[in-house]
């Protein structure tokens, strides 16, 4: 009895499809030190200002220095010129 092998083109198509799915997923997150950061949840200070209508980036930087934005809600990515990402949730100045 002869087994029918799956055509190479079908295997290649399956492999390409799986690869595309993995690449799409990888576009949506950043991994640093074993922790996964979803890019819709973690944004730059400039993007935070746009998203939450903050007039300048210095305000957000001051919030970070003063602890209004906690350390667990910030991450510095050294590999990308020390860019700082913050969790995209509303913070407010408590003064």
């Amino acid at each position: 009895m002869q087994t029918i092998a799956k055509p190479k083109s079908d295997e290649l198509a399956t492999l390409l499809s799986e690869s595309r799915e993995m690449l799409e997923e990888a576009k949506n997150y950043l991994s640093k030190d074993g922790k996964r950061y979803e890019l819709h949840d973690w944004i730059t200070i400039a993007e935070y200002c746009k998203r939450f209508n903050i007039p300048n980036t210095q305000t957000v930087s001051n919030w970070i220095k003063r602890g209004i934005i906690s350390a667990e809600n910030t991450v510095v990515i050294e590999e990308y010129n020390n860019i700082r990402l913050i969790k995209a949730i509303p913070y407010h100045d408590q003064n």
Side-chain angles (χ1 to χ4, degrees):
M1 182 173 208
Q2 183 180 18
T3 57
I4 300 173
K6 190 174 185 181
K8 294 285 184 190
S9 61
D10 287 350
E11 290 177 22
L12 181 59
T14 300
L15 183 60
L16 286 172
S17 176
E18 290 171 356
S19 297
R20 284 188 191 107
E21 288 174 16
M22 291 174 69
L23 284 172
E24 280 302 312
E25 183 181 335
K27 288 180 186 178
N28 297 323
Y29 74 90
L30 174 70
S31 180
K32 179 176 173 22
D33 299 329
K35 187 171 178 186
R36 187 172 168 159
Y37 297 94
E38 299 289 334
L39 294 180
H40 57 83
D41 291 337
W42 292 85
I43 57 177
T44 64
I45 292 174
E47 178 60 29
Y48 185 87
C49 289
K50 288 178 194 172
R51 194 177 290 188
F52 293 99
N53 234 5
I54 307 294
N56 61 60
T57 60
Q58 191 60 44
T59 300
V60 177
S61 294
N62 286 337
W63 289 352
I64 294 168
K65 289 176 190 167
R66 292 173 38 212
I68 293 170
I69 298 176
S70 64
E72 63 263 5
N73 287 341
T74 65
V75 64
V76 175
I77 309 297
E78 294 86 4
E79 297 84 0
Y80 294 114
N81 201 25
N82 291 319
I83 194 164
R84 186 181 311 200
L85 301 178
I86 60 176
K87 188 139 180 141
I89 57 175
Y91 303 97
H92 57 85
D93 195 347
Q94 297 172 346
N95 288 338

